[in-house]
Amino acid sequence: MQVEPGILLREIHTPDDLKNFSKDQLVQICDELRQFIIDHVSVFGGHFGAGLGVVELTVALHYVLNTPDDQLIWDVGHQAYGHKILTGRREAFHTNRLYKGLSGFPKRKESPYDAFGVGHSSTSISAALGMAMASKYKGADKRQHVAVIGDGAMTGGMAFEAMNHAGVSDTNLLIILNDNCMSIDPNVGALKDYLTDITTSHTYNKVRDEVWSLLGKISKFGFSAQEVVSKVEGAIKSTLLKQSNLFESLNLRYFGPVDGHDVNHLVEVLNDLKDIPGPKILHCITVKGKGFAPAEKDQTKWHAPGKFDKITGEIAKKIPTSPQAPKYQDVFGHTLVELAGENEKIVGVTPAMPSGSSMNFMMKAYPDRSFDVGIAEQHAVTFSAGLATQGLTPFCNIYSTFMQRAYDQVIHDVCLQDLPVVFCLDRAGFAGADGPTHHGAYDLAFFRCLPNLVVSAPMNEEELRNLMFSASEHNGPYSIRYPRGQGVMPDWKQALRKIPTGQGRIVREGKDLAILSIGHVGNYAVEAAEKLQKNGIDMAHYDMRFVKPLDESMLHEVFTKFDKVITIEDGCLMGGFGSAILEWMVDHNYQSRVKRLGIPDEVIEHGEQIELHRECGFDPEGIVSAAKEMLGTTVSENLKF
């Protein structure tokens, strides 16, 4: 199904087409662009509220800037749907986030208008500053460099590092602060309060507006007026606000706040700012979900709602005909509350993902023992280490892909000090439609080399509960990884029991070959073993549970009994679980033939998880094929899936 654009939007294929319209037509273009996004996401799903909130800003930027020569970077990229639609991808937008289709995030390989690939937060200012510095070096003084960053992403330490550098760079850099008091969940911390002070100071805003009206437009009065504005506004900000202006103290010229939904005023302001040299910041006030009432009312729910009825606002839900397994994240959330009820030392930590990780269950049950530290993974890890030094047991829940940002802190602040911090890595393995910026492909490899750290992965919900219980009583660092989505056990809430560290389990006995699995993909091995059994192939299955320490007694049994072994993991093959098994085999002088299944050494794009598993060859059919190859047999028709 193709979504039909409005009468003006259908004429826009590039920003050059947009420039052919008059300013009087921009409001209608914004209305049509917003409606196109609503129509599209209601049918195909995807990120929603963030894109609606920057429609006017997107149109204004492409109307004023000379993209793609001018460099426009969107932080994170949830909000870039309008940008993609205006830059030649409208007709292909129905493939957004689908396998082999458009990426859900800006991507350099996809379009010259995507100046920088994004997905993780707080990177835009650094990237834009690097581009601006390169332009300065090459003498491209007229090129514009714009970073659009939300107030949530602005809490990330990298954004402050970049602003600190930008303030002394003398480059043509414009930072646009898209201030809507939200990331995915409501923002937290002192910066949120500071921005609220700026935007709600009636005295400051009244005086600022009067001064602006007195001087008139900057473009009419030239540079002398710009100097006056700078001096007068700086005095107003410092005098009338409780604090001196944070951004001005970093030597960034501050402008705003401005209404981020007034497209014509934004065009005027952006045109004026093009003529002001040096690093500067424009503070735009927007509403996440603007133009769709349910999304404005419940911004967290409508961040990425899936398909919905655009008339009633009812989100589509599949009605199951039988009991369903829960999401792994919900098992984590409920189990953490259960453990905290029995152990007062347990606390929870999340870097701005309380709903995405289900840490919000803990925050509701034990608000004084739960901490949302903002988009600050490095801080989350070291903060957890600090809690652990005082006898507490922090469960630090960070998506696998975001844990990459805190690797030094895991080593330096947790592992070297052997502190009892429990890392729960949600979204491990393929993240699905969010693609390579969000795949959790590397944690097994980069964690298993760290001293003192236990590295584990449950095959199902019961195992997750038991590993969490075991970790809560372990005196040292402990990691548990689990995937996005549902588990396999509708009746998941079983009595907790402790799993000895480094102990695997035998899932299925066999005699022809063995498969060693780690984590949820072990369920594929169960399915494959049943298929193979029907064809007379008897495959043993061992759920290792731990990548570190490995169950050495089990491995001795495996390599003594089998000369053909398959390993399977939802992680990178380079240095991952399969590599650990091969290292152990060589160190102990076994000579079995081993086939490793997992994520190859390449970038795997977006798609449904099963589509990506199939592409990499570790779906059930891929396991059957690997077993067939090792045994030198052919796959009969009844083995095909």
Side-chain angles (χ1 to χ4, degrees):
M1 174 183 174
Q2 285 277 37
V3 174
E4 290 298 320
I7 59 173
L8 300 185
L9 185 61
R10 72 182 57 166
E11 302 299 322
I12 301 173
H13 302 284
T14 70
D16 287 341
D17 298 325
L18 175 64
K19 293 177 174 64
N20 291 330
F21 291 94
S22 69
K23 284 182 61 177
D24 293 339
Q25 294 173 295
L26 294 184
V27 172
Q28 182 178 341
I29 290 172
C30 290
D31 291 342
E32 291 183 10
L33 179 57
R34 178 171 280 111
Q35 191 59 51
F36 187 85
I37 294 172
I38 293 171
D39 291 345
H40 179 277
V41 179
S42 69
V43 174
F44 298 104
H47 293 105
F48 188 58
L52 295 185
V54 295
V55 164
E56 288 79 11
L57 179 59
T58 303
V59 170
L61 282 166
H62 280 296
Y63 195 73
V64 171
L65 296 177
N66 180 31
T67 55
D69 184 64
D70 288 340
Q71 304 289 285
L72 174 59
I73 301 99
W74 300 89
D75 206 277
V76 181
H78 291 150
Q79 75 281 56
Y81 284 14
H83 160 78
K84 291 201 170 197
I85 292 163
L86 294 177
T87 54
R89 287 164 280 184
R90 189 191 71 240
E91 293 181 0
F93 206 66
H94 63 282
T95 71
N96 186 50
R97 291 168 52 87
L98 298 180
Y99 188 58
K100 303 295 185 181
L102 294 177
S103 170
F105 298 91
K107 189 173 183 178
R108 281 173 57 82
K109 289 183 179 180
E110 187 176 286
S111 170
Y113 291 94
D114 293 353
F116 198 75
V118 292
H120 291 193
S121 81
S122 315
T123 64
S124 61
I125 304 175
S126 295
L129 178 58
M131 295 172 184
M133 197 71 79
S135 294
K136 179 181 178 181
Y137 172 73
K138 293 189 293 185
D141 298 330
K142 298 300 182 182
R143 175 178 281 179
Q144 304 295 313
H145 311 85
V146 180
V148 181
I149 182 169
D151 52 318
M154 189 68 90
T155 65
M158 190 174 174
F160 284 92
E161 294 169 17
M163 286 192 292
N164 186 51
H165 184 193
V168 296
S169 67
D170 189 26
T171 56
N172 191 10
L173 171 69
L174 172 62
I175 302 165
I176 297 180
L177 173 57
N178 172 36
D179 184 359
N180 59 23
C181 292
M182 291 289 293
S183 49
I184 295 176
D185 289 284
N187 289 329
V188 298
L191 179 63
K192 179 206 72 171
D193 295 336
Y194 173 76
L195 294 176
T196 301
D197 283 346
I198 290 179
T199 57
T200 58
S201 173
H202 298 297
T203 304
Y204 162 56
N205 282 293
K206 182 175 183 294
V207 176
R208 184 211 61 184
D209 291 341
E210 290 175 352
V211 171
W212 191 268
S213 298
L214 177 65
L215 292 175
K217 293 182 181 178
I218 290 177
S219 55
K220 289 183 179 179
F221 288 87
F223 190 69
S224 60
Q226 296 168 13
E227 289 181 336
V228 173
V229 169
S230 175
K231 292 176 181 177
V232 175
E233 269 211 287
I236 294 171
K237 293 164 190 169
S238 298
T239 303
L240 298 180
L241 293 175
K242 295 177 186 176
Q243 311 101 314
S244 62
N245 186 280
L246 169 66
F247 306 108
E248 298 272 354
S249 70
L250 293 171
N251 204 29
L252 299 172
R253 295 280 302 280
Y254 173 87
F255 298 89
V258 298
D259 181 356
H261 298 298
D262 185 340
V263 65
N264 287 307
H265 182 58
L266 285 172
V267 167
E268 291 179 6
V269 170
L270 290 170
N271 270 317
D272 288 339
L273 292 179
K274 282 175 63 177
D275 298 327
I276 299 177
K280 47 201 170 285
I281 185 163
L282 175 64
H283 187 176
C284 292
I285 307 302
T286 63
V287 176
K288 190 173 182 179
K290 178 71 173 179
F292 190 75
E296 292 186 34
K297 184 177 180 181
D298 191 340
Q299 296 175 343
T300 298
K301 179 180 178 180
W302 287 88
H303 172 72
K307 300 175 184 179
F308 60 92
D309 186 320
K310 67 181 181 181
I311 305 300
T312 66
E314 182 178 356
I315 297 174
K317 293 182 179 179
K318 293 181 180 179
I319 302 176
T321 58
S322 60
Q324 297 294 298
K327 293 180 180 179
Y328 275 102
Q329 69 179 65
D330 290 343
V331 174
F332 160 81
H334 289 301
T335 302
L336 184 60
V337 171
E338 183 179 344
L339 292 171
E342 299 295 326
N343 183 350
E344 63 182 12
K345 294 182 179 180
I346 289 176
V347 295
V349 178
T350 176
M353 296 300 292
S355 60
S357 69
S358 293
M359 184 67 77
N360 53 357
F361 298 170
M362 179 75 173
M363 295 171 77
K364 182 177 180 180
Y366 299 103
D368 59 332
R369 294 162 61 184
S370 309
F371 306 95
D372 179 356
V373 302
I375 302 178
E377 291 84 5
Q378 293 172 306
H379 167 60
V381 170
T382 304
F383 174 72
S384 297
L387 292 169
T389 66
Q390 302 305 303
L392 300 181
T393 304
F395 275 71
C396 181
N397 188 303
I398 300 179
Y399 286 12
S400 170
T401 186
F402 300 142
M403 182 58 81
Q404 296 161 190
R405 317 187 87 181
Y407 191 51
D408 176 64
Q409 286 68 31
V410 173
I411 299 171
H412 183 271
D413 300 329
V414 178
C415 291
L416 296 188
Q417 302 188 87
D418 199 18
L419 293 172
V421 176
V422 183
F423 297 113
C424 293
L425 275 55
D426 199 341
R427 272 54 167 189
F430 285 131
D434 283 338
T437 59
H438 284 62
H439 292 334
Y442 311 111
D443 58 273
L444 290 178
F446 67 60
F447 264 9
R448 78 176 185 89
C449 60
L450 302 185
N452 297 321
L453 179 61
V454 173
V455 182
S456 69
M459 186 170 148
N460 56 43
E461 300 92 305
E462 182 180 8
E463 291 285 294
L464 172 57
R465 284 170 53 76
N466 291 336
L467 286 171
M468 290 178 65
F469 176 53
S470 304
S472 71
E473 298 188 349
H474 180 75
N475 189 27
Y478 204 110
S479 73
I480 307 169
R481 78 183 313 252
Y482 48 90
R484 178 178 191 165
Q486 286 184 303
V488 294
M489 298 178 64
D491 187 20
W492 58 274
K493 196 168 185 180
Q494 304 297 318
L496 293 166
R497 63 181 182 83
K498 187 173 182 179
I499 297 175
T501 302
Q503 183 182 92
R505 65 186 181 119
I506 301 174
V507 178
R508 182 189 185 106
E509 299 280 4
K511 58 181 176 57
D512 294 326
L513 76 164
I515 185 166
L516 311 181
S517 68
I518 187 72
H520 177 79
V521 289
N523 295 290
Y524 288 169
V526 170
E527 190 175 343
E530 292 173 353
K531 284 283 187 180
L532 289 166
Q533 186 68 47
K534 293 177 181 178
N535 204 46
I537 298 174
D538 193 10
M539 183 172 74
H541 179 196
Y542 296 82
D543 171 23
M544 296 302 295
R545 286 183 176 144
F546 296 89
V547 176
K548 181 182 179 182
L550 291 167
D551 188 334
E552 298 204 32
S553 62
M554 180 173 284
L555 290 178
H556 279 297
E557 175 186 326
V558 168
F559 286 103
T560 299
K561 187 175 180 180
F562 298 97
D563 62 358
K564 298 179 183 65
V565 176
I566 297 172
T567 67
I568 178 173
E569 60 195 298
D570 191 5
C572 63
L573 288 172
M574 297 284 285
F577 167 65
S579 295
I581 298 300
L582 283 176
E583 291 167 14
W584 187 93
M585 183 187 78
V586 170
D587 289 345
H588 292 83
N589 299 312
Y590 290 104
Q591 297 183 1
S592 300
R593 181 184 171 196
V594 177
K595 173 70 174 178
R596 295 178 303 143
L597 301 179
I599 301 175
D601 184 26
E602 59 188 78
V603 175
I604 305 299
E605 301 295 346
H606 59 281
E608 295 297 320
Q609 287 166 303
I610 186 60
E611 292 174 322
L612 304 182
H613 295 161
R614 187 179 300 118
E615 177 180 327
C616 294
F618 60 87
D619 64 319
E621 187 172 357
I623 297 171
V624 167
S625 296
K628 172 263 306 185
E629 179 186 345
M630 295 198 82
L631 294 171
T633 60
T634 58
V635 180
S636 63
E637 285 301 316
N638 67 341
L639 280 179
K640 293 183 178 179
F641 290 75

